[in-house]
Amino acid sequence: MEQQPTAAPASDGPAGAIETVFRMESPRVIAGVARIVRDVGTAEELAQDALVAALDQWPRDGVPDNPGAWLMTTARHRAIDLVRRRERYSRKLEEVGRDLQAAPYHVDVPSDPDDMDDDLLRLVFTACHPVLSAESRIALTLRLLGGLTTAEIARAFLVPEATVAQRIVRAKRTLATKGVAFEVPYGPEREARLGSVLEVVYLVFNEGYAATAGDDLLRPALCEDALRLARVLAELMPKEPEVHGLAALLEFQASRTAARTGPDGGAVLLKDQNRARWNRLLIARGIAALGRADAVSPKLSPSLEQGGPPSGAPGPYVLQAAIAACHALAYTYEETDWARIATLYGLLADRSPSPVVELNRAVAVSMAEGPGPALEIVDRLAAEPALRDYHLLPSVRGDLLARLGRRAEAREEFVRAAALARNERERQLLTARAEDCR
Protein backbone atom coordinates (compact mmCIF):
# COMPACT_ATOMS: atom_id res chain seq x y z
CA MET A 1 0.00 0.00 0.00
CA GLU A 2 1.39 3.39 -0.91
CA GLN A 3 2.49 5.77 1.79
CA GLN A 4 0.04 8.58 2.54
CA PRO A 5 0.75 12.02 3.99
CA THR A 6 -0.12 12.15 7.66
CA ALA A 7 -1.37 15.73 7.51
CA ALA A 8 -4.72 16.71 8.92
CA PRO A 9 -7.58 17.89 6.69
CA ALA A 10 -7.13 21.31 5.09
CA SER A 11 -9.66 22.89 7.41
CA ASP A 12 -7.84 21.71 10.55
CA GLY A 13 -5.88 24.77 11.71
CA PRO A 14 -2.12 25.17 11.13
CA ALA A 15 -1.72 21.58 9.99
CA GLY A 16 -4.33 22.21 7.28
CA ALA A 17 -2.52 25.35 6.14
CA ILE A 18 0.74 23.39 5.93
CA GLU A 19 -0.94 20.68 3.88
CA THR A 20 -2.33 23.33 1.53
CA VAL A 21 1.18 24.69 0.99
CA PHE A 22 2.46 21.18 0.40
CA ARG A 23 -0.25 20.44 -2.16
CA MET A 24 0.79 23.53 -4.11
CA GLU A 25 4.53 22.86 -3.89
CA SER A 26 4.67 19.05 -3.98
CA PRO A 27 4.95 18.67 -7.80
CA ARG A 28 8.11 20.79 -7.90
CA VAL A 29 9.52 19.15 -4.78
CA ILE A 30 8.93 15.66 -6.17
CA ALA A 31 10.38 16.70 -9.53
CA GLY A 32 13.50 18.19 -7.95
CA VAL A 33 14.11 15.14 -5.75
CA ALA A 34 13.44 12.69 -8.58
CA ARG A 35 16.31 14.29 -10.47
CA ILE A 36 18.60 13.15 -7.63
CA VAL A 37 17.24 9.67 -6.84
CA ARG A 38 15.98 8.84 -10.37
CA ASP A 39 12.85 7.17 -9.03
CA VAL A 40 9.46 8.87 -8.73
CA GLY A 41 8.22 6.53 -6.00
CA THR A 42 11.21 7.25 -3.78
CA ALA A 43 10.97 10.95 -4.63
CA GLU A 44 7.36 11.09 -3.48
CA GLU A 45 8.23 9.36 -0.20
CA LEU A 46 11.03 11.86 0.44
CA ALA A 47 8.70 14.77 -0.34
CA GLN A 48 6.22 13.39 2.17
CA ASP A 49 9.03 13.07 4.71
CA ALA A 50 9.62 16.80 4.22
CA LEU A 51 5.91 17.39 4.87
CA VAL A 52 6.12 15.44 8.13
CA ALA A 53 9.13 17.55 9.14
CA ALA A 54 7.17 20.72 8.35
CA LEU A 55 4.24 19.54 10.46
CA ASP A 56 6.67 19.05 13.32
CA GLN A 57 8.73 22.25 13.00
CA TRP A 58 6.53 24.98 11.51
CA PRO A 59 3.92 25.13 14.30
CA ARG A 60 6.79 25.44 16.77
CA ASP A 61 9.27 27.66 14.88
CA GLY A 62 6.91 29.53 12.57
CA VAL A 63 6.28 29.22 8.83
CA PRO A 64 9.43 30.11 6.85
CA ASP A 65 9.42 33.09 4.50
CA ASN A 66 9.67 30.76 1.49
CA PRO A 67 7.88 27.53 2.47
CA GLY A 68 8.36 25.98 -0.98
CA ALA A 69 12.12 26.44 -0.81
CA TRP A 70 12.15 25.02 2.75
CA LEU A 71 10.31 21.89 1.60
CA MET A 72 12.61 21.54 -1.42
CA THR A 73 15.77 21.93 0.66
CA THR A 74 14.60 19.46 3.31
CA ALA A 75 13.60 16.86 0.73
CA ARG A 76 16.87 17.32 -1.19
CA HIS A 77 18.97 16.84 1.93
CA ARG A 78 17.15 13.60 2.65
CA ALA A 79 17.60 12.52 -0.97
CA ILE A 80 21.34 13.22 -0.85
CA ASP A 81 21.62 11.30 2.44
CA LEU A 82 19.81 8.38 0.84
CA VAL A 83 22.11 8.42 -2.18
CA ARG A 84 25.20 8.52 0.03
CA ARG A 85 23.95 5.60 2.11
CA ARG A 86 23.39 3.61 -1.07
CA GLU A 87 26.85 4.48 -2.37
CA ARG A 88 28.45 3.44 0.95
CA TYR A 89 26.51 0.21 0.84
CA SER A 90 27.66 -0.39 -2.72
CA ARG A 91 31.29 0.17 -1.73
CA LYS A 92 30.87 -2.16 1.25
CA LEU A 93 29.61 -4.89 -1.06
CA GLU A 94 32.69 -4.45 -3.22
CA GLU A 95 34.96 -4.66 -0.18
CA VAL A 96 33.55 -8.03 0.93
CA GLY A 97 33.77 -9.34 -2.62
CA ARG A 98 30.08 -9.82 -3.19
CA ASP A 99 29.02 -10.13 -6.81
CA LEU A 100 26.32 -7.54 -6.20
CA GLN A 101 26.54 -3.92 -7.01
CA ALA A 102 23.83 -1.34 -6.84
CA ALA A 103 23.37 0.92 -9.85
CA PRO A 104 25.48 4.07 -9.49
CA TYR A 105 23.76 7.16 -8.25
CA HIS A 106 24.91 10.64 -9.09
CA VAL A 107 23.89 13.60 -7.00
CA ASP A 108 22.88 16.20 -9.57
CA VAL A 109 21.36 19.14 -7.75
CA PRO A 110 20.53 22.04 -10.06
CA SER A 111 22.08 25.29 -8.91
CA ASP A 112 19.87 27.46 -11.09
CA PRO A 113 16.30 27.89 -9.76
CA ASP A 114 15.09 28.00 -13.37
CA ASP A 115 16.09 24.35 -13.71
CA MET A 116 13.11 23.51 -11.54
CA ASP A 117 10.87 23.94 -14.57
CA ASP A 118 13.01 21.42 -16.43
CA ASP A 119 12.61 19.01 -13.52
CA LEU A 120 8.84 19.50 -13.55
CA LEU A 121 8.78 18.78 -17.26
CA ARG A 122 10.78 15.61 -16.67
CA LEU A 123 8.23 14.55 -14.08
CA VAL A 124 5.37 15.18 -16.54
CA PHE A 125 6.94 12.98 -19.22
CA THR A 126 7.78 10.27 -16.67
CA ALA A 127 4.31 10.10 -15.11
CA CYS A 128 2.70 9.99 -18.58
CA HIS A 129 5.09 7.46 -20.09
CA PRO A 130 3.33 5.19 -22.62
CA VAL A 131 4.75 2.11 -20.91
CA LEU A 132 1.95 2.65 -18.37
CA SER A 133 -1.73 1.98 -18.97
CA ALA A 134 -4.01 4.96 -19.52
CA GLU A 135 -5.63 4.46 -16.11
CA SER A 136 -2.24 4.31 -14.38
CA ARG A 137 -0.99 7.40 -16.20
CA ILE A 138 -4.05 9.36 -15.13
CA ALA A 139 -3.83 8.26 -11.49
CA LEU A 140 -0.09 8.88 -11.23
CA THR A 141 -0.33 12.29 -12.91
CA LEU A 142 -3.12 13.47 -10.61
CA ARG A 143 -1.16 12.18 -7.61
CA LEU A 144 2.27 13.60 -8.48
CA LEU A 145 1.36 16.71 -10.48
CA GLY A 146 -2.17 17.46 -9.32
CA GLY A 147 -1.38 16.94 -5.65
CA LEU A 148 -4.52 14.84 -5.14
CA THR A 149 -4.65 12.11 -2.52
CA THR A 150 -5.60 8.55 -3.40
CA ALA A 151 -9.01 9.06 -1.79
CA GLU A 152 -9.68 12.21 -3.85
CA ILE A 153 -8.78 10.46 -7.11
CA ALA A 154 -11.02 7.52 -6.19
CA ARG A 155 -13.96 9.83 -5.45
CA ALA A 156 -13.46 11.72 -8.69
CA PHE A 157 -13.57 8.58 -10.83
CA LEU A 158 -16.10 6.68 -8.70
CA VAL A 159 -13.78 3.71 -8.15
CA PRO A 160 -12.64 2.06 -4.90
CA GLU A 161 -9.71 3.72 -3.18
CA ALA A 162 -7.86 0.41 -3.16
CA THR A 163 -8.09 0.28 -6.96
CA VAL A 164 -6.49 3.70 -7.34
CA ALA A 165 -3.79 2.86 -4.80
CA GLN A 166 -3.00 -0.32 -6.70
CA ARG A 167 -2.76 1.57 -10.00
CA ILE A 168 -0.34 4.09 -8.50
CA VAL A 169 1.84 1.44 -6.86
CA ARG A 170 1.87 -0.62 -10.05
CA ALA A 171 2.78 2.45 -12.10
CA LYS A 172 5.74 3.30 -9.88
CA ARG A 173 6.92 -0.31 -9.96
CA THR A 174 6.64 -0.43 -13.74
CA LEU A 175 8.64 2.76 -14.18
CA ALA A 176 11.37 1.33 -11.94
CA THR A 177 11.52 -2.16 -13.44
CA LYS A 178 11.41 -0.85 -17.01
CA GLY A 179 14.24 1.56 -16.25
CA VAL A 180 12.31 4.57 -17.54
CA ALA A 181 14.73 7.50 -17.60
CA PHE A 182 13.83 10.67 -15.73
CA GLU A 183 14.30 12.94 -18.72
CA VAL A 184 12.62 15.08 -21.35
CA PRO A 185 12.79 13.26 -24.69
CA TYR A 186 13.84 15.04 -27.86
CA GLY A 187 13.38 14.54 -31.58
CA PRO A 188 10.81 12.04 -32.88
CA GLU A 189 10.50 10.39 -29.47
CA ARG A 190 9.45 13.69 -27.91
CA GLU A 191 6.59 14.11 -30.38
CA ALA A 192 5.37 10.59 -29.67
CA ARG A 193 5.66 10.99 -25.91
CA LEU A 194 4.04 14.42 -25.94
CA GLY A 195 0.92 12.84 -27.39
CA SER A 196 0.70 10.60 -24.32
CA VAL A 197 1.09 13.60 -21.99
CA LEU A 198 -1.65 15.61 -23.72
CA GLU A 199 -3.94 12.59 -23.86
CA VAL A 200 -3.76 12.19 -20.07
CA VAL A 201 -4.72 15.83 -19.44
CA TYR A 202 -7.50 15.60 -22.05
CA LEU A 203 -8.93 12.40 -20.52
CA VAL A 204 -8.92 13.93 -17.04
CA PHE A 205 -10.80 17.01 -18.31
CA ASN A 206 -13.33 14.97 -20.26
CA GLU A 207 -14.14 12.83 -17.25
CA GLY A 208 -14.95 16.01 -15.35
CA TYR A 209 -16.77 17.68 -18.24
CA ALA A 210 -19.02 14.71 -19.13
CA ALA A 211 -18.79 12.06 -16.45
CA THR A 212 -19.03 8.58 -17.92
CA ALA A 213 -20.83 7.18 -14.88
CA GLY A 214 -22.57 8.24 -11.67
CA ASP A 215 -25.37 10.63 -10.77
CA ASP A 216 -23.72 13.93 -11.74
CA LEU A 217 -23.14 15.18 -15.26
CA LEU A 218 -20.17 17.34 -14.23
CA ARG A 219 -17.24 16.91 -11.84
CA PRO A 220 -15.85 20.46 -11.81
CA ALA A 221 -12.82 19.61 -9.66
CA LEU A 222 -11.44 17.33 -12.36
CA CYS A 223 -11.95 20.02 -15.00
CA GLU A 224 -10.08 22.50 -12.83
CA ASP A 225 -7.19 20.07 -12.26
CA ALA A 226 -6.87 19.33 -15.98
CA LEU A 227 -7.08 23.01 -16.91
CA ARG A 228 -4.36 23.85 -14.40
CA LEU A 229 -2.13 21.08 -15.78
CA ALA A 230 -2.71 22.32 -19.34
CA ARG A 231 -1.72 25.86 -18.34
CA VAL A 232 1.42 24.55 -16.61
CA LEU A 233 2.36 22.58 -19.72
CA ALA A 234 1.85 25.67 -21.88
CA GLU A 235 4.29 27.57 -19.68
CA LEU A 236 6.82 24.73 -19.67
CA MET A 237 6.62 24.05 -23.42
CA PRO A 238 5.94 27.44 -25.06
CA LYS A 239 7.10 26.32 -28.51
CA GLU A 240 4.72 23.36 -28.87
CA PRO A 241 1.57 24.30 -30.87
CA GLU A 242 -0.38 21.26 -29.70
CA VAL A 243 0.20 22.16 -26.06
CA HIS A 244 -1.32 25.59 -26.65
CA GLY A 245 -4.06 23.94 -28.73
CA LEU A 246 -5.02 21.70 -25.82
CA ALA A 247 -4.96 24.63 -23.40
CA ALA A 248 -7.21 26.63 -25.74
CA LEU A 249 -9.62 23.71 -26.16
CA LEU A 250 -9.99 23.25 -22.40
CA GLU A 251 -10.44 26.99 -21.82
CA PHE A 252 -13.27 27.06 -24.38
CA GLN A 253 -14.92 23.93 -23.01
CA ALA A 254 -14.64 25.07 -19.40
CA SER A 255 -16.27 28.39 -20.31
CA ARG A 256 -19.60 26.59 -20.86
CA THR A 257 -19.64 24.67 -17.57
CA ALA A 258 -22.13 26.89 -15.70
CA ALA A 259 -24.68 26.65 -18.53
CA ARG A 260 -24.49 22.89 -19.09
CA THR A 261 -26.76 21.93 -16.20
CA GLY A 262 -30.13 23.21 -15.03
CA PRO A 263 -31.21 24.05 -11.48
CA ASP A 264 -31.93 20.36 -10.80
CA GLY A 265 -28.54 19.26 -12.13
CA GLY A 266 -30.01 17.90 -15.35
CA ALA A 267 -28.20 18.23 -18.67
CA VAL A 268 -28.94 21.25 -20.88
CA LEU A 269 -28.33 20.75 -24.61
CA LEU A 270 -26.02 23.16 -26.43
CA LYS A 271 -28.87 24.77 -28.36
CA ASP A 272 -30.79 25.44 -25.14
CA GLN A 273 -27.92 26.84 -23.08
CA ASN A 274 -28.04 30.42 -21.80
CA ARG A 275 -24.92 31.82 -23.42
CA ALA A 276 -24.92 34.78 -21.08
CA ARG A 277 -23.69 32.28 -18.50
CA TRP A 278 -20.67 31.31 -20.60
CA ASN A 279 -17.48 32.58 -18.99
CA ARG A 280 -16.12 35.31 -21.28
CA LEU A 281 -12.81 35.46 -19.40
CA LEU A 282 -12.14 31.80 -20.18
CA ILE A 283 -13.18 32.38 -23.79
CA ALA A 284 -10.67 35.24 -24.02
CA ARG A 285 -7.99 32.96 -22.56
CA GLY A 286 -8.89 30.34 -25.17
CA ILE A 287 -8.53 32.87 -27.99
CA ALA A 288 -5.14 33.92 -26.60
CA ALA A 289 -3.95 30.31 -26.33
CA LEU A 290 -5.05 29.59 -29.90
CA GLY A 291 -3.12 32.68 -30.96
CA ARG A 292 0.00 31.34 -29.23
CA ALA A 293 -0.39 28.09 -31.14
CA ASP A 294 -0.29 30.16 -34.33
CA ALA A 295 2.68 32.23 -33.15
CA VAL A 296 4.95 29.21 -32.59
CA SER A 297 4.20 27.54 -35.91
CA PRO A 298 4.74 29.20 -39.30
CA LYS A 299 2.17 26.84 -40.83
CA LEU A 300 -0.68 28.23 -38.76
CA SER A 301 -2.53 31.46 -39.48
CA PRO A 302 -6.02 31.26 -37.95
CA SER A 303 -8.71 33.89 -38.41
CA LEU A 304 -9.34 33.99 -34.71
CA GLU A 305 -11.86 36.77 -34.76
CA GLN A 306 -14.07 34.52 -36.91
CA GLY A 307 -13.23 31.29 -35.10
CA GLY A 308 -11.58 30.15 -38.33
CA PRO A 309 -9.31 27.14 -38.83
CA PRO A 310 -5.55 27.53 -38.99
CA SER A 311 -4.21 26.86 -42.46
CA GLY A 312 -1.52 24.29 -43.23
CA ALA A 313 -1.40 21.05 -41.26
CA PRO A 314 -2.46 21.78 -37.67
CA GLY A 315 -2.57 19.05 -35.05
CA PRO A 316 -5.75 17.52 -33.64
CA TYR A 317 -5.88 19.65 -30.49
CA VAL A 318 -5.45 22.88 -32.44
CA LEU A 319 -8.25 21.78 -34.80
CA GLN A 320 -10.54 20.90 -31.89
CA ALA A 321 -9.77 24.25 -30.30
CA ALA A 322 -10.70 26.00 -33.56
CA ILE A 323 -14.01 24.10 -33.55
CA ALA A 324 -14.66 25.12 -29.95
CA ALA A 325 -13.84 28.73 -30.90
CA CYS A 326 -16.63 28.68 -33.50
CA HIS A 327 -19.12 27.85 -30.74
CA ALA A 328 -17.59 30.30 -28.25
CA LEU A 329 -17.71 33.24 -30.66
CA ALA A 330 -21.35 32.68 -31.68
CA TYR A 331 -23.61 34.75 -29.41
CA THR A 332 -26.63 32.60 -30.33
CA TYR A 333 -27.05 29.01 -31.46
CA GLU A 334 -28.43 30.19 -34.80
CA GLU A 335 -25.31 32.29 -35.48
CA THR A 336 -22.99 29.28 -35.24
CA ASP A 337 -20.96 28.76 -38.42
CA TRP A 338 -21.81 25.09 -38.88
CA ALA A 339 -20.34 24.95 -42.39
CA ARG A 340 -16.95 25.98 -40.99
CA ILE A 341 -17.30 23.45 -38.16
CA ALA A 342 -18.09 20.68 -40.65
CA THR A 343 -14.99 21.65 -42.64
CA LEU A 344 -12.86 21.58 -39.50
CA TYR A 345 -14.17 18.13 -38.58
CA GLY A 346 -13.28 16.99 -42.09
CA LEU A 347 -9.71 18.21 -41.53
CA LEU A 348 -9.67 16.51 -38.15
CA ALA A 349 -10.91 13.26 -39.68
CA ASP A 350 -8.03 13.40 -42.17
CA ARG A 351 -5.50 14.23 -39.42
CA SER A 352 -6.76 11.80 -36.76
CA PRO A 353 -9.39 9.48 -38.25
CA SER A 354 -11.77 7.91 -35.75
CA PRO A 355 -15.45 6.89 -35.66
CA VAL A 356 -16.14 9.46 -32.90
CA VAL A 357 -14.74 12.30 -35.02
CA GLU A 358 -16.88 11.14 -37.94
CA LEU A 359 -19.95 11.07 -35.69
CA ASN A 360 -19.24 14.64 -34.62
CA ARG A 361 -18.80 15.61 -38.26
CA ALA A 362 -22.24 14.14 -38.97
CA VAL A 363 -23.77 16.45 -36.34
CA ALA A 364 -22.12 19.49 -37.97
CA VAL A 365 -23.23 18.35 -41.43
CA SER A 366 -26.81 17.98 -40.16
CA MET A 367 -26.78 21.62 -39.10
CA ALA A 368 -25.05 22.88 -42.24
CA GLU A 369 -26.78 20.74 -44.89
CA GLY A 370 -29.75 19.09 -43.18
CA PRO A 371 -30.44 15.79 -41.37
CA GLY A 372 -30.63 13.69 -44.57
CA PRO A 373 -26.94 13.83 -45.58
CA ALA A 374 -25.94 13.47 -41.94
CA LEU A 375 -28.06 10.32 -41.52
CA GLU A 376 -26.13 8.71 -44.37
CA ILE A 377 -22.87 9.33 -42.50
CA VAL A 378 -24.30 7.94 -39.25
CA ASP A 379 -25.68 4.83 -40.93
CA ARG A 380 -22.22 4.07 -42.31
CA LEU A 381 -20.95 4.11 -38.72
CA ALA A 382 -23.49 1.57 -37.46
CA ALA A 383 -21.14 -1.36 -38.03
CA GLU A 384 -18.15 0.26 -36.29
CA PRO A 385 -17.08 -2.04 -33.40
CA ALA A 386 -15.75 0.96 -31.43
CA LEU A 387 -19.24 2.51 -31.37
CA ARG A 388 -21.20 -0.64 -30.57
CA ASP A 389 -21.78 0.37 -26.93
CA TYR A 390 -21.39 4.14 -27.44
CA HIS A 391 -24.67 5.75 -26.40
CA LEU A 392 -24.13 8.88 -28.50
CA LEU A 393 -24.43 6.93 -31.77
CA PRO A 394 -28.13 6.02 -31.28
CA SER A 395 -28.65 9.41 -29.63
CA VAL A 396 -27.45 11.29 -32.72
CA ARG A 397 -29.34 8.94 -35.01
CA GLY A 398 -32.51 9.47 -32.96
CA ASP A 399 -32.15 13.24 -33.24
CA LEU A 400 -31.72 13.04 -37.02
CA LEU A 401 -34.72 10.73 -37.41
CA ALA A 402 -36.86 13.04 -35.26
CA ARG A 403 -35.93 16.01 -37.44
CA LEU A 404 -36.91 13.97 -40.50
CA GLY A 405 -40.33 13.26 -38.96
CA ARG A 406 -39.64 9.54 -38.40
CA ARG A 407 -40.66 9.74 -34.76
CA ALA A 408 -41.30 6.06 -34.05
CA GLU A 409 -37.82 5.12 -35.27
CA ALA A 410 -36.37 8.06 -33.35
CA ARG A 411 -38.02 6.86 -30.15
CA GLU A 412 -36.43 3.42 -30.53
CA GLU A 413 -33.00 5.02 -30.93
CA PHE A 414 -33.41 7.21 -27.85
CA VAL A 415 -34.55 4.21 -25.80
CA ARG A 416 -31.46 2.28 -26.94
CA ALA A 417 -29.22 5.24 -26.16
CA ALA A 418 -30.70 5.56 -22.65
CA ALA A 419 -30.02 1.86 -22.03
CA LEU A 420 -26.37 2.32 -23.01
CA ALA A 421 -25.78 5.54 -21.04
CA ARG A 422 -23.91 5.02 -17.76
CA ASN A 423 -24.44 8.55 -16.47
CA GLU A 424 -27.77 9.01 -14.71
CA ARG A 425 -28.29 12.60 -15.92
CA GLU A 426 -27.71 11.63 -19.55
CA ARG A 427 -30.02 8.67 -19.14
CA GLN A 428 -32.78 10.94 -17.85
CA LEU A 429 -32.35 13.33 -20.79
CA LEU A 430 -32.47 10.50 -23.36
CA THR A 431 -35.51 8.93 -21.71
CA ALA A 432 -37.30 12.29 -21.85
CA ARG A 433 -36.47 12.65 -25.53
CA ALA A 434 -37.86 9.17 -26.19
CA GLU A 435 -41.11 10.18 -24.47
CA ASP A 436 -41.30 13.31 -26.60
CA CYS A 437 -41.34 11.08 -29.70
CA ARG A 438 -44.47 9.18 -28.67
Side-chain angles (χ1 to χ4, degrees):
M1 183 67 67
E2 73 176 322
Q3 182 180 350
Q4 293 288 340
T6 57
S11 60
D12 199 31
I18 294 170
E19 187 183 4
T20 299
V21 171
F22 180 78
R23 181 179 293 236
M24 295 169 60
E25 299 291 340
S26 63
R28 291 184 183 276
V29 175
I30 294 171
V33 173
R35 183 175 183 178
I36 300 172
V37 299
R38 304 290 175 178
D39 180 89
V40 294
T42 302
E44 185 187 13
E45 292 173 3
L46 292 169
Q48 291 176 1
D49 286 346
L51 170 62
V52 173
L55 288 168
D56 178 57
Q57 295 182 36
W58 292 5
R60 183 182 66 244
D61 303 335
V63 178
D65 293 336
N66 190 335
W70 190 99
L71 290 168
M72 178 68 79
T73 300
T74 302
R76 275 188 188 168
H77 286 163
R78 291 171 187 252
I80 293 171
D81 288 343
L82 176 63
V83 168
R84 286 172 177 164
R85 287 198 302 271
R86 287 175 173 176
E87 288 178 341
R88 284 197 297 270
Y89 179 67
S90 179
R91 287 195 297 270
K92 191 59 126 179
L93 290 179
E94 291 177 358
E95 290 171 7
V96 297
R98 301 273 182 89
D99 188 21
L100 294 171
Q101 179 150 0
Y105 289 83
H106 303 286
V107 179
D108 182 16
V109 181
S111 57
D112 185 350
D114 291 339
D115 287 347
M116 288 299 97
D117 284 347
D118 294 334
D119 287 339
L120 197 57
L121 198 54
R122 292 185 184 98
L123 184 61
V124 169
F125 276 95
T126 302
C128 299
H129 198 285
V131 74
L132 304 175
S133 68
E135 293 83 0
S136 295
R137 276 180 271 157
I138 289 172
L140 191 61
T141 298
L142 288 175
R143 179 59 187 268
L144 298 182
L145 294 159
L148 275 67
T149 65
T150 303
E152 288 170 332
I153 299 170
R155 283 197 300 271
F157 285 92
L158 303 181
V159 296
E161 187 174 342
T163 300
V164 174
Q166 186 178 32
R167 288 174 183 172
I168 293 173
V169 170
R170 189 185 300 122
K172 295 175 183 175
R173 186 183 303 123
T174 300
L175 291 174
T177 57
K178 296 288 187 181
V180 173
F182 185 68
E183 63 182 10
V184 177
Y186 293 94
E189 184 185 359
R190 177 173 180 144
E191 183 178 353
R193 293 269 299 278
L194 179 59
S196 176
V197 172
L198 300 182
E199 178 191 27
V200 167
V201 179
Y202 187 55
L203 289 174
V204 172
F205 182 87
N206 273 354
E207 186 58 33
Y209 190 70
T212 54
D215 296 331
D216 298 319
L217 181 68
L218 301 174
R219 295 176 194 154
L222 277 180
C223 291
E224 292 168 5
D225 287 325
L227 191 53
R228 179 165 55 85
L229 289 173
R231 290 169 179 168
V232 169
L233 282 176
E235 292 178 3
L236 295 176
M237 308 179 72
K239 296 183 179 180
E240 294 287 348
E242 278 290 83
V243 174
H244 294 300
L246 176 64
L249 173 61
L250 301 195
E251 299 281 7
F252 287 134
Q253 298 286 70
S255 72
R256 306 181 209 160
T257 300
R260 293 189 66 236
T261 55
D264 61 348
V268 179
L269 296 174
L270 179 64
K271 65 183 179 66
D272 298 324
Q273 289 177 15
N274 178 3
R275 299 193 175 206
R277 300 187 67 197
W278 287 8
N279 189 315
R280 291 291 154 184
L281 175 60
L282 293 182
I283 291 174
R285 292 182 67 112
I287 293 295
L290 198 52
R292 286 190 288 273
D294 173 55
V296 296
S297 175
K299 295 180 180 179
L300 306 182
S301 55
S303 302
L304 293 179
E305 71 280 0
Q306 299 176 5
S311 59
Y317 290 111
V318 174
L319 283 170
Q320 290 180 77
I323 292 169
C326 290
H327 291 294
L329 296 174
Y331 283 95
T332 66
Y333 186 75
E334 291 72 24
E335 293 176 14
T336 306
D337 192 343
W338 289 104
R340 188 184 297 276
I341 292 176
T343 299
L344 284 166
Y345 270 121
L347 293 173
L348 183 60
D350 291 338
R351 184 71 166 77
S352 300
S354 85
V356 174
V357 171
E358 194 67 4
L359 183 62
N360 286 329
R361 186 175 76 86
V363 174
V365 168
S366 76
M367 300 304 299
E369 304 176 22
L375 185 60
E376 295 178 8
I377 298 173
V378 172
D379 286 344
R380 289 197 296 268
L381 295 172
E384 283 285 348
L387 299 181
R388 183 175 296 117
D389 298 322
Y390 190 48
H391 69 285
L392 291 183
L393 177 62
S395 173
V396 170
R397 193 168 189 275
D399 181 72
L400 298 176
L401 289 168
R403 289 165 59 187
L404 289 168
R406 296 159 61 177
R407 301 179 67 81
E409 296 172 80
R411 182 178 182 279
E412 292 179 5
E413 292 295 318
F414 284 130
V415 168
R416 187 161 72 93
L420 291 173
R422 295 169 55 199
N423 183 277
E424 181 59 30
R425 296 295 184 179
E426 288 186 309
R427 188 181 299 117
Q428 292 172 1
L429 175 64
L430 293 165
T431 300
R433 297 205 68 188
E435 290 301 310
D436 289 341
C437 291
R438 280 187 178 277

